[in-house]
Amino acid sequence: DGTVGVIINKPTNLVLRDLQWQSAPWSPQLDDSRILFGGDVGSELCLIHGEHDLGGEEIIDRVFITSSLSDFGRGRSFARQGNVSANSFLWVQGTCHWEPGELEHDMQEKHFFAIHCDRRFLIPGDAISGQSGTSDDFWCELLRLTVP
């Protein structure tokens, strides 16, 4: 029970090339994709994307999350064929976990903020004003617009 989530505004110094993948080798198009710190629980890699045909669980309209190696393989194929840009993928390693009621308390204490979730904020290629969803300026502006 409780809540599970991922942080999407904490880039690491890691890129996909740094990970050792035996069952899903990466294409050169994805090798330099930055990995985001998703949280301090586990080391599972997740892919957030906007491609219905790639697979995963739809978390909001036309935004999907997956940790499936077969979905990663489809993403690799999509990138190799030029069907998607590597920049339209968010790679996140690790998750956050809250006990029941803990996230609500953290939000009351203003450690986290609930904001409208829109595809433009999550998929880098769709980000507002052409900004990437992982840039510091983007997050500062989003926070300025949403927090009283």
Side-chain angles (χ1 to χ4, degrees):
D1 288 330
T3 305
V4 176
V6 293
I7 299 168
I8 59 171
N9 67 339
K10 299 284 184 198
T12 69
N13 291 326
L14 294 174
V15 293
L16 285 178
R17 174 187 317 111
D18 296 331
L19 301 180
Q20 300 297 317
W21 291 103
Q22 312 209 331
S23 57
W26 298 106
S27 67
Q29 294 85 355
L30 298 176
D31 280 349
D32 293 325
S33 297
R34 178 81 41 215
I35 297 173
L36 304 173
F37 172 75
D40 58 2
V41 178
S43 61
E44 180 177 45
L45 187 67
C46 296
L47 170 60
I48 299 174
H49 64 88
E51 301 296 325
H52 181 269
D53 293 339
L54 201 151
E57 180 180 343
E58 190 170 28
I59 52 177
I60 63 168
D61 185 37
R62 300 180 310 131
V63 176
F64 304 84
I65 189 168
T66 184
S67 60
S68 159
L69 289 178
S70 62
D71 292 344
F72 291 175
R74 274 192 290 284
R76 177 190 63 226
S77 295
F78 281 28
R80 281 184 179 164
Q81 296 166 3
N83 295 336
V84 297
S85 164
N87 294 332
S88 68
F89 292 157
L90 289 181
W91 298 94
V92 182
Q93 190 171 32
T95 59
C96 297
H97 292 231
W98 293 270
E99 295 297 322
E102 185 179 11
L103 179 58
E104 291 82 2
H105 176 265
D106 286 350
M107 290 174 66
Q108 288 174 351
E109 295 293 317
K110 301 201 183 303
H111 297 291
F112 295 96
F113 299 98
I115 61 169
H116 172 72
C117 193
D118 189 286
R119 175 184 166 95
R120 297 173 300 159
F121 302 142
L122 297 173
I123 305 298
D126 288 355
I128 57 174
S129 305
Q131 295 178 334
S132 167
T134 59
S135 79
D136 288 339
D137 291 342
F138 173 84
W139 289 104
C140 288
E141 180 64 10
L142 184 59
L143 192 59
R144 186 188 69 74
L145 292 171
T146 56
V147 177

